[in-house]
Amino acid sequence: MNGGVEISALDAPIPEAALVQLAAVLVDCVDGGASVSFMAPFSQADGLGYFRKVADAVASGEAVLLAAKLDGKIVGTVQLGLDTPPNQPHRADLKKMLVHRSARGHGIGAGLMAQIEVEAIRRGRWLLVLDTVPGENGYRLYKRAGWTESGIIPNYALFPDGRLCDTAVFWKRLDR
Ligand SMILES: CC(C)(COP(=O)(O)OP(=O)(O)OC[C@H]1O[C@@H](n2cnc3c(N)ncnc32)[C@H](O)[C@@H]1OP(=O)(O)O)[C@@H](O)C(=O)NCCC(=O)NCCS
């Protein structure tokens, strides 16, 4: 990974400047055609609204939010959703793995994956689950990081331009 990259968990209260930078990363990913819950057109205000809700989840202990900073500016992020039902206290959901297009291909995604595992284990969450579009960048990242693909659900979601896309469900059991 690039020497200028720092990955850390953002604690509540998350500064406004960080929320603005996180929103810019999300907007860039949606603009780039990533299927990450949102449709085009997706504005900076939309992104900010989304990350304000994430900040609330961090404050309530329902989410862990990592930021990857390159030369002090956030260029990547990922979340761990801890809001599982009472019968799944050992599990967490990996969400919104995002790296700005200008920073991709330097191992930042891999670095975020490694650090989120550390955060999961720290909280006693040793089974992680995610879903992603088969064949896209994230799909290869998760395979490289040792996740197991359970199967594919056809026509699960939409790309930002409205085309249907499949989803692949992945899991990873972490060493305790
Ligand atoms: C998925 C995503 C987070 C990956 O981020 P990234 O920082 O580019 O990830 P990495 O750099 O670890 O890996 C990307 C590629 O660079 C390669 N790479 C990693 N470090 C490298 C280095 N130092 N030199 C050259 N290549 C490198 C990897 O092998 C990988 O190759 P691949 O494209 O053939 O699979 C990013 O593409 C993204 O944000 N996509 C849009 C959002 C999205 O779809 N997220 C997933 C939702 S489930």
Side-chain angles (χ1 to χ4, degrees), residues 162-175:
R163 287 173 299 126
L164 281 163
C165 57
D166 298 345
T167 202
V169 178
F170 278 85
W171 60 272
K172 184 172 185 181
R173 182 177 174 148
L174 307 178
D175 292 332

mmCIF file with all atom_site columns, all heavy atoms in Angstrom, residues 162-175:
data_model
loop_
_atom_site.group_PDB
_atom_site.id
_atom_site.type_symbol
_atom_site.label_atom_id
_atom_site.label_alt_id
_atom_site.label_comp_id
_atom_site.label_asym_id
_atom_site.label_entity_id
_atom_site.label_seq_id
_atom_site.pdbx_PDB_ins_code
_atom_site.Cartn_x
_atom_site.Cartn_y
_atom_site.Cartn_z
_atom_site.occupancy
_atom_site.B_iso_or_equiv
_atom_site.pdbx_formal_charge
_atom_site.auth_seq_id
_atom_site.auth_comp_id
_atom_site.auth_asym_id
_atom_site.auth_atom_id
_atom_site.pdbx_PDB_model_num
ATOM 1   N N   . GLY A 1 162 ? -29.763 2.210   -13.712 1.00 0.00 ? 162 GLY A N   1
ATOM 2   C CA  . GLY A 1 162 ? -31.051 1.525   -13.795 1.00 0.00 ? 162 GLY A CA  1
ATOM 3   C C   . GLY A 1 162 ? -31.005 0.094   -14.291 1.00 0.00 ? 162 GLY A C   1
ATOM 4   O O   . GLY A 1 162 ? -32.016 -0.606  -14.260 1.00 0.00 ? 162 GLY A O   1
ATOM 5   N N   . ARG A 1 163 ? -29.845 -0.356  -14.782 1.00 0.00 ? 163 ARG A N   1
ATOM 6   C CA  . ARG A 1 163 ? -29.750 -1.754  -15.228 1.00 0.00 ? 163 ARG A CA  1
ATOM 7   C C   . ARG A 1 163 ? -29.763 -2.690  -14.027 1.00 0.00 ? 163 ARG A C   1
ATOM 8   O O   . ARG A 1 163 ? -29.195 -2.376  -12.985 1.00 0.00 ? 163 ARG A O   1
ATOM 9   C CB  . ARG A 1 163 ? -28.454 -1.990  -16.022 1.00 0.00 ? 163 ARG A CB  1
ATOM 10  C CG  . ARG A 1 163 ? -28.442 -1.392  -17.410 1.00 0.00 ? 163 ARG A CG  1
ATOM 11  C CD  . ARG A 1 163 ? -27.062 -1.526  -18.051 1.00 0.00 ? 163 ARG A CD  1
ATOM 12  N NE  . ARG A 1 163 ? -26.044 -0.825  -17.275 1.00 0.00 ? 163 ARG A NE  1
ATOM 13  C CZ  . ARG A 1 163 ? -24.915 -1.371  -16.827 1.00 0.00 ? 163 ARG A CZ  1
ATOM 14  N NH1 . ARG A 1 163 ? -24.645 -2.635  -17.074 1.00 0.00 ? 163 ARG A NH1 1
ATOM 15  N NH2 . ARG A 1 163 ? -24.053 -0.660  -16.139 1.00 0.00 ? 163 ARG A NH2 1
ATOM 16  N N   . LEU A 1 164 ? -30.400 -3.833  -14.183 1.00 0.00 ? 164 LEU A N   1
ATOM 17  C CA  . LEU A 1 164 ? -30.411 -4.818  -13.104 1.00 0.00 ? 164 LEU A CA  1
ATOM 18  C C   . LEU A 1 164 ? -29.032 -5.446  -12.934 1.00 0.00 ? 164 LEU A C   1
ATOM 19  O O   . LEU A 1 164 ? -28.290 -5.621  -13.912 1.00 0.00 ? 164 LEU A O   1
ATOM 20  C CB  . LEU A 1 164 ? -31.418 -5.934  -13.421 1.00 0.00 ? 164 LEU A CB  1
ATOM 21  C CG  . LEU A 1 164 ? -32.885 -5.605  -13.172 1.00 0.00 ? 164 LEU A CG  1
ATOM 22  C CD1 . LEU A 1 164 ? -33.768 -6.609  -13.915 1.00 0.00 ? 164 LEU A CD1 1
ATOM 23  C CD2 . LEU A 1 164 ? -33.199 -5.635  -11.674 1.00 0.00 ? 164 LEU A CD2 1
ATOM 24  N N   . CYS A 1 165 ? -28.702 -5.790  -11.704 1.00 0.00 ? 165 CYS A N   1
ATOM 25  C CA  . CYS A 1 165 ? -27.455 -6.535  -11.484 1.00 0.00 ? 165 CYS A CA  1
ATOM 26  C C   . CYS A 1 165 ? -27.700 -7.653  -10.477 1.00 0.00 ? 165 CYS A C   1
ATOM 27  O O   . CYS A 1 165 ? -28.571 -7.563  -9.610  1.00 0.00 ? 165 CYS A O   1
ATOM 28  C CB  . CYS A 1 165 ? -26.313 -5.635  -11.011 1.00 0.00 ? 165 CYS A CB  1
ATOM 29  S SG  . CYS A 1 165 ? -26.626 -4.720  -9.517  1.00 0.00 ? 165 CYS A SG  1
ATOM 30  N N   . ASP A 1 166 ? -26.904 -8.702  -10.621 1.00 0.00 ? 166 ASP A N   1
ATOM 31  C CA  . ASP A 1 166 ? -26.947 -9.821  -9.674  1.00 0.00 ? 166 ASP A CA  1
ATOM 32  C C   . ASP A 1 166 ? -26.180 -9.436  -8.409  1.00 0.00 ? 166 ASP A C   1
ATOM 33  O O   . ASP A 1 166 ? -25.431 -8.456  -8.394  1.00 0.00 ? 166 ASP A O   1
ATOM 34  C CB  . ASP A 1 166 ? -26.278 -11.059 -10.285 1.00 0.00 ? 166 ASP A CB  1
ATOM 35  C CG  . ASP A 1 166 ? -26.982 -11.536 -11.544 1.00 0.00 ? 166 ASP A CG  1
ATOM 36  O OD1 . ASP A 1 166 ? -28.118 -11.109 -11.794 1.00 0.00 ? 166 ASP A OD1 1
ATOM 37  O OD2 . ASP A 1 166 ? -26.370 -12.349 -12.272 1.00 0.00 ? 166 ASP A OD2 1
ATOM 38  N N   . THR A 1 167 ? -26.344 -10.242 -7.363  1.00 0.00 ? 167 THR A N   1
ATOM 39  C CA  . THR A 1 167 ? -25.477 -10.068 -6.197  1.00 0.00 ? 167 THR A CA  1
ATOM 40  C C   . THR A 1 167 ? -24.908 -11.416 -5.783  1.00 0.00 ? 167 THR A C   1
ATOM 41  O O   . THR A 1 167 ? -25.572 -12.451 -5.921  1.00 0.00 ? 167 THR A O   1
ATOM 42  C CB  . THR A 1 167 ? -26.212 -9.401  -5.009  1.00 0.00 ? 167 THR A CB  1
ATOM 43  O OG1 . THR A 1 167 ? -25.240 -8.815  -4.149  1.00 0.00 ? 167 THR A OG1 1
ATOM 44  C CG2 . THR A 1 167 ? -27.030 -10.375 -4.208  1.00 0.00 ? 167 THR A CG2 1
ATOM 45  N N   . ALA A 1 168 ? -23.662 -11.388 -5.329  1.00 0.00 ? 168 ALA A N   1
ATOM 46  C CA  . ALA A 1 168 ? -23.021 -12.587 -4.780  1.00 0.00 ? 168 ALA A CA  1
ATOM 47  C C   . ALA A 1 168 ? -22.914 -12.396 -3.272  1.00 0.00 ? 168 ALA A C   1
ATOM 48  O O   . ALA A 1 168 ? -22.485 -11.334 -2.803  1.00 0.00 ? 168 ALA A O   1
ATOM 49  C CB  . ALA A 1 168 ? -21.627 -12.767 -5.379  1.00 0.00 ? 168 ALA A CB  1
ATOM 50  N N   . VAL A 1 169 ? -23.331 -13.429 -2.529  1.00 0.00 ? 169 VAL A N   1
ATOM 51  C CA  . VAL A 1 169 ? -23.257 -13.368 -1.068  1.00 0.00 ? 169 VAL A CA  1
ATOM 52  C C   . VAL A 1 169 ? -21.961 -14.044 -0.623  1.00 0.00 ? 169 VAL A C   1
ATOM 53  O O   . VAL A 1 169 ? -21.659 -15.166 -1.055  1.00 0.00 ? 169 VAL A O   1
ATOM 54  C CB  . VAL A 1 169 ? -24.473 -14.068 -0.428  1.00 0.00 ? 169 VAL A CB  1
ATOM 55  C CG1 . VAL A 1 169 ? -24.381 -14.048 1.095   1.00 0.00 ? 169 VAL A CG1 1
ATOM 56  C CG2 . VAL A 1 169 ? -25.760 -13.408 -0.904  1.00 0.00 ? 169 VAL A CG2 1
ATOM 57  N N   . PHE A 1 170 ? -21.194 -13.333 0.212   1.00 0.00 ? 170 PHE A N   1
ATOM 58  C CA  . PHE A 1 170 ? -19.909 -13.834 0.706   1.00 0.00 ? 170 PHE A CA  1
ATOM 59  C C   . PHE A 1 170 ? -19.909 -13.893 2.235   1.00 0.00 ? 170 PHE A C   1
ATOM 60  O O   . PHE A 1 170 ? -20.587 -13.094 2.886   1.00 0.00 ? 170 PHE A O   1
ATOM 61  C CB  . PHE A 1 170 ? -18.774 -12.875 0.322   1.00 0.00 ? 170 PHE A CB  1
ATOM 62  C CG  . PHE A 1 170 ? -18.232 -13.024 -1.063  1.00 0.00 ? 170 PHE A CG  1
ATOM 63  C CD1 . PHE A 1 170 ? -18.847 -12.390 -2.135  1.00 0.00 ? 170 PHE A CD1 1
ATOM 64  C CD2 . PHE A 1 170 ? -17.076 -13.753 -1.304  1.00 0.00 ? 170 PHE A CD2 1
ATOM 65  C CE1 . PHE A 1 170 ? -18.324 -12.492 -3.414  1.00 0.00 ? 170 PHE A CE1 1
ATOM 66  C CE2 . PHE A 1 170 ? -16.550 -13.865 -2.582  1.00 0.00 ? 170 PHE A CE2 1
ATOM 67  C CZ  . PHE A 1 170 ? -17.173 -13.242 -3.637  1.00 0.00 ? 170 PHE A CZ  1
ATOM 68  N N   . TRP A 1 171 ? -19.102 -14.802 2.784   1.00 0.00 ? 171 TRP A N   1
ATOM 69  C CA  . TRP A 1 171 ? -18.879 -14.818 4.235   1.00 0.00 ? 171 TRP A CA  1
ATOM 70  C C   . TRP A 1 171 ? -17.415 -15.114 4.520   1.00 0.00 ? 171 TRP A C   1
ATOM 71  O O   . TRP A 1 171 ? -16.701 -15.693 3.690   1.00 0.00 ? 171 TRP A O   1
ATOM 72  C CB  . TRP A 1 171 ? -19.776 -15.855 4.925   1.00 0.00 ? 171 TRP A CB  1
ATOM 73  C CG  . TRP A 1 171 ? -19.563 -17.277 4.472   1.00 0.00 ? 171 TRP A CG  1
ATOM 74  C CD1 . TRP A 1 171 ? -20.184 -17.892 3.422   1.00 0.00 ? 171 TRP A CD1 1
ATOM 75  C CD2 . TRP A 1 171 ? -18.666 -18.241 5.025   1.00 0.00 ? 171 TRP A CD2 1
ATOM 76  N NE1 . TRP A 1 171 ? -19.729 -19.182 3.292   1.00 0.00 ? 171 TRP A NE1 1
ATOM 77  C CE2 . TRP A 1 171 ? -18.795 -19.417 4.263   1.00 0.00 ? 171 TRP A CE2 1
ATOM 78  C CE3 . TRP A 1 171 ? -17.758 -18.229 6.090   1.00 0.00 ? 171 TRP A CE3 1
ATOM 79  C CZ2 . TRP A 1 171 ? -18.053 -20.584 4.538   1.00 0.00 ? 171 TRP A CZ2 1
ATOM 80  C CZ3 . TRP A 1 171 ? -17.020 -19.377 6.375   1.00 0.00 ? 171 TRP A CZ3 1
ATOM 81  C CH2 . TRP A 1 171 ? -17.179 -20.537 5.594   1.00 0.00 ? 171 TRP A CH2 1
ATOM 82  N N   . LYS A 1 172 ? -16.997 -14.710 5.716   1.00 0.00 ? 172 LYS A N   1
ATOM 83  C CA  . LYS A 1 172 ? -15.637 -15.051 6.164   1.00 0.00 ? 172 LYS A CA  1
ATOM 84  C C   . LYS A 1 172 ? -15.654 -15.274 7.673   1.00 0.00 ? 172 LYS A C   1
ATOM 85  O O   . LYS A 1 172 ? -16.167 -14.439 8.425   1.00 0.00 ? 172 LYS A O   1
ATOM 86  C CB  . LYS A 1 172 ? -14.646 -13.944 5.820   1.00 0.00 ? 172 LYS A CB  1
ATOM 87  C CG  . LYS A 1 172 ? -13.209 -14.327 6.183   1.00 0.00 ? 172 LYS A CG  1
ATOM 88  C CD  . LYS A 1 172 ? -12.191 -13.327 5.667   1.00 0.00 ? 172 LYS A CD  1
ATOM 89  C CE  . LYS A 1 172 ? -10.777 -13.841 5.952   1.00 0.00 ? 172 LYS A CE  1
ATOM 90  N NZ  . LYS A 1 172 ? -9.739  -12.887 5.497   1.00 0.00 ? 172 LYS A NZ  1
ATOM 91  N N   . ARG A 1 173 ? -15.095 -16.411 8.069   1.00 0.00 ? 173 ARG A N   1
ATOM 92  C CA  . ARG A 1 173 ? -14.939 -16.682 9.491   1.00 0.00 ? 173 ARG A CA  1
ATOM 93  C C   . ARG A 1 173 ? -13.527 -16.257 9.900   1.00 0.00 ? 173 ARG A C   1
ATOM 94  O O   . ARG A 1 173 ? -12.542 -16.656 9.279   1.00 0.00 ? 173 ARG A O   1
ATOM 95  C CB  . ARG A 1 173 ? -15.139 -18.171 9.765   1.00 0.00 ? 173 ARG A CB  1
ATOM 96  C CG  . ARG A 1 173 ? -15.028 -18.467 11.243  1.00 0.00 ? 173 ARG A CG  1
ATOM 97  C CD  . ARG A 1 173 ? -15.295 -19.907 11.575  1.00 0.00 ? 173 ARG A CD  1
ATOM 98  N NE  . ARG A 1 173 ? -15.015 -20.078 12.986  1.00 0.00 ? 173 ARG A NE  1
ATOM 99  C CZ  . ARG A 1 173 ? -15.640 -20.919 13.780  1.00 0.00 ? 173 ARG A CZ  1
ATOM 100 N NH1 . ARG A 1 173 ? -16.587 -21.695 13.298  1.00 0.00 ? 173 ARG A NH1 1
ATOM 101 N NH2 . ARG A 1 173 ? -15.325 -21.011 15.041  1.00 0.00 ? 173 ARG A NH2 1
ATOM 102 N N   . LEU A 1 174 ? -13.443 -15.448 10.935  1.00 0.00 ? 174 LEU A N   1
ATOM 103 C CA  . LEU A 1 174 ? -12.153 -14.929 11.377  1.00 0.00 ? 174 LEU A CA  1
ATOM 104 C C   . LEU A 1 174 ? -11.601 -15.788 12.505  1.00 0.00 ? 174 LEU A C   1
ATOM 105 O O   . LEU A 1 174 ? -12.361 -16.387 13.271  1.00 0.00 ? 174 LEU A O   1
ATOM 106 C CB  . LEU A 1 174 ? -12.307 -13.486 11.875  1.00 0.00 ? 174 LEU A CB  1
ATOM 107 C CG  . LEU A 1 174 ? -12.999 -12.517 10.898  1.00 0.00 ? 174 LEU A CG  1
ATOM 108 C CD1 . LEU A 1 174 ? -13.131 -11.144 11.539  1.00 0.00 ? 174 LEU A CD1 1
ATOM 109 C CD2 . LEU A 1 174 ? -12.224 -12.420 9.591   1.00 0.00 ? 174 LEU A CD2 1
ATOM 110 N N   . ASP A 1 175 ? -10.283 -15.811 12.610  1.00 0.00 ? 175 ASP A N   1
ATOM 111 C CA  . ASP A 1 175 ? -9.660  -16.524 13.734  1.00 0.00 ? 175 ASP A CA  1
ATOM 112 C C   . ASP A 1 175 ? -9.933  -15.749 15.007  1.00 0.00 ? 175 ASP A C   1
ATOM 113 O O   . ASP A 1 175 ? -9.810  -14.529 15.032  1.00 0.00 ? 175 ASP A O   1
ATOM 114 C CB  . ASP A 1 175 ? -8.145  -16.620 13.524  1.00 0.00 ? 175 ASP A CB  1
ATOM 115 C CG  . ASP A 1 175 ? -7.833  -17.526 12.348  1.00 0.00 ? 175 ASP A CG  1
ATOM 116 O OD1 . ASP A 1 175 ? -8.645  -18.425 12.078  1.00 0.00 ? 175 ASP A OD1 1
ATOM 117 O OD2 . ASP A 1 175 ? -6.800  -17.313 11.713  1.00 0.00 ? 175 ASP A OD2 1
#
